[in-house]
Amino acid sequence: MTGRTGHAGNGRPRGLAIAAFLAVLAMPARAQPVPEAAPLPVSRPADPENGRRIVMDRRKGLCLLCHSGPFPEMRFQGDLAPSLAGAGSRWTPAQLRARLIDSRLFNGETIMPPYFRAEGQTRMARAFAGRTILTAEEIEDVTAFLATLRE
Amino acid sequence: MTRRAALALALGCLLLGPAPADEIHASQRLSGYDMMGAEAQAMQRDDFANPAMLAVKEGEGLWNAVPGQGRPSCQSCHGNAAASMKGVAARYPAREASTGRVLDLPGQIQTCQSERQGIAPAARESAALLALEAFLAMQSRGAPLASPRARGLDDAVSRGEALYRQRFGQLDLSCAQCHSQNWGRSLGGTRIPQAHPTGYPLFRMEWQAIGSLQRRFRNCMTGIRAEPFPPGAAEWIDLEIYLKERAAGMAMDAPAVRP
């Protein structure tokens, strides 16, 4: 796992550990390809300003509960995950989008919620059943905003 | 050592290790009291400032109250609580010898009410039940939490641990991911505690009320957009048993204050 994937990877289930162990043995020592996702079908062009609002909104995007970022006006940013500063330099839009859609594709132990997956979760609250955290439009908006965070 | 060899070694250790990698060593365990600010600690230490002490007082009244003609009070069976109930709350949840049922403390009080006193049991999270819980917990202040495994509750410990490690809800998070793997870090400015249930029932400033461990569980489940189990569900009791195994030996500080 590279440092950039971030989150603490403790408590790995044994089956996964074995799989990872075998994968490491079988693999030449080089970085795995970074997952990418093509733009989602949307009804309007991406709006990075709306993406910014979503990232700042602790009930909508929830991002700043875990991440910090270059937003000095925002109080109480989290430190469970890497800073969003420079996210647009580190990752392409296709890579950022893939992380938002389902970060488990990068790291099976991640604490990052799957923003565009409505299935596979256990005991989904009734009010959220069958719904993704963000809509396709909102994923595109947040992707466009994160791509502007360059350093 | 090459990177590959180092990874193989690390993963090999992980495979051989008997304990989960995120287990908090006994010397690293911190209660909610240890992790909160000095102001809240001072409020808890002062019985005249601790709002949960109102519930203790109310619970003492209920302990002594005769619930109806010909019906026993708690006191008439159990006697002086300071002696007979000393350390009892630290040993719950417990298996009832006669039936084999595993009851948490509120469940035990409800069982006494319906089976011994012949009255309708107080509802979970009602003021009356919380008051009795607080009064009983008070009699275990400073007592070490007893190990559920040592009283033969191994199966419940295992089921509880599975729940603790299960991802739930739209946000797809487990208890362990926050409370074992990221304790001490800042979740939107709030320090994540280690989830040791030493102080329940407790007064939470966020609630502006005294509440139970199950209320706390519900809050976490709602936060990750999961459907909570119903009040009193076996899953909650298994989870409590696992948490108490994990916290075994830590001193009870109920009725506590938490932010």
Side-chain angles (χ1 to χ4, degrees):
Chain A
M1 191 184 307
T2 71
R4 290 200 295 194
T5 49
H7 314 309
N10 297 329
R12 182 189 299 273
R14 183 156 294 197
L16 203 61
I18 294 169
F21 183 68
L22 295 176
V24 167
L25 287 185
M27 182 177 81
R30 62 176 163 78
Q32 295 208 21
V34 177
E36 300 189 336
L40 298 170
V42 286
S43 55
R44 59 166 175 75
D47 174 359
E49 269 309 302
N50 191 46
R52 181 187 174 85
R53 277 192 292 276
I54 292 166
V55 169
M56 300 300 141
D57 185 335
R58 281 160 201 274
R59 289 170 186 276
K60 180 79 180 168
L62 314 157
C63 308
L64 297 187
L65 294 179
C66 292
H67 293 278
S68 59
F71 322 118
E73 73 281 17
M74 300 300 292
R75 299 173 66 206
F76 305 124
Q77 301 181 21
D79 66 0
L80 276 74
S83 169
L84 298 177
S89 305
R90 292 196 295 279
W91 310 107
T92 67
Q95 292 166 343
L96 288 166
R97 185 183 295 107
R99 278 180 180 259
L100 290 167
I101 289 173
D102 190 351
S103 198
R104 275 217 240 178
L105 297 173
F106 292 76
N107 170 9
E109 301 293 314
T110 188
I111 56 170
M112 180 158 163
Y115 281 89
F116 200 65
R117 171 154 67 76
E119 287 177 352
Q121 288 100 320
T122 304
R123 290 191 76 84
M124 191 93 125
R126 274 189 271 277
F128 296 98
R131 290 174 49 195
T132 56
I133 302 171
L134 297 180
T135 64
E137 283 74 14
E138 289 165 341
I139 293 283
E140 292 304 318
D141 295 348
V142 173
T143 301
F145 171 64
L146 293 177
T148 69
L149 299 179
R150 311 188 73 86
E151 56 186 15
Chain B
M1 193 161 23
T2 67
R3 183 167 159 273
R4 205 201 301 184
L7 261 173
L9 184 66
L11 286 168
C13 291
L14 211 60
L15 290 173
L16 295 173
D22 61 5
E23 191 163 290
I24 299 169
H25 188 266
S27 65
Q28 278 196 310
R29 288 188 306 188
L30 297 170
S31 69
Y33 177 88
D34 297 329
M35 292 185 71
M36 69 189 185
E39 251 177 75
Q41 287 182 337
M43 187 191 272
Q44 176 172 323
R45 277 198 309 272
D46 179 354
D47 282 348
F48 294 97
N50 179 346
M53 292 305 291
L54 295 171
V56 172
K57 193 80 197 145
E58 188 190 340
E60 184 179 10
L62 291 169
W63 176 268
N64 292 311
V66 174
Q69 201 173 8
R71 301 188 192 280
S73 68
C74 308
Q75 191 274 338
S76 48
C77 289
H78 295 286
N80 177 12
S84 66
M85 292 293 126
K86 191 175 166 62
V88 168
R91 298 194 294 271
Y92 271 80
R95 191 187 301 281
E96 196 178 44
S98 53
T99 62
R101 284 181 299 187
V102 175
L103 299 171
D104 63 353
L105 187 63
Q108 177 65 70
I109 297 169
Q110 288 177 317
T111 301
C112 265
Q113 288 174 326
S114 59
E115 295 178 8
R116 309 283 173 190
Q117 295 184 302
I119 61 175
R124 278 183 186 263
E125 230 54 45
S126 66
L129 194 57
L130 286 166
L132 279 164
E133 286 173 62
F135 176 67
L136 290 179
M138 179 72 182
Q139 315 309 317
S140 289
R141 203 189 241 182
L145 283 174
S147 157
R149 223 184 261 290
R151 344 185 254 284
L153 294 173
D154 305 61
D155 289 355
V157 172
S158 302
R159 288 193 303 268
E161 178 166 11
L163 288 164
Y164 184 77
R165 299 191 175 283
Q166 166 75 53
R167 289 175 181 259
F168 285 110
Q170 192 190 41
L171 305 192
D172 209 27
L173 285 167
S174 71
C175 312
Q177 287 183 296
C178 278
H179 297 290
S180 288
Q181 294 159 24
N182 282 293
W183 61 267
R185 292 195 175 150
S186 163
L187 179 68
T190 303
R191 227 175 150 205
I192 299 176
Q194 292 180 353
H196 298 303
T198 58
Y200 287 91
L202 53 76
F203 182 88
R204 190 171 293 281
M205 294 175 196
E206 186 193 331
W207 298 335
Q208 282 298 299
I210 191 169
S212 70
L213 179 59
Q214 289 194 11
R215 181 170 179 183
R216 185 72 191 86
F217 288 160
R218 272 205 306 280
N219 280 183
C220 267
M221 288 288 266
T222 307
I224 57 174
R225 302 180 179 172
E227 194 66 32
F229 297 102
E235 286 88 348
W236 288 149
I237 295 173
D238 288 341
L239 186 56
E240 175 175 1
I241 289 170
Y242 170 66
L243 291 182
K244 289 196 164 161
E245 182 62 35
R246 194 169 159 268
M250 294 179 78
M252 277 187 66
D253 63 337
V257 173
R258 293 290 185 266

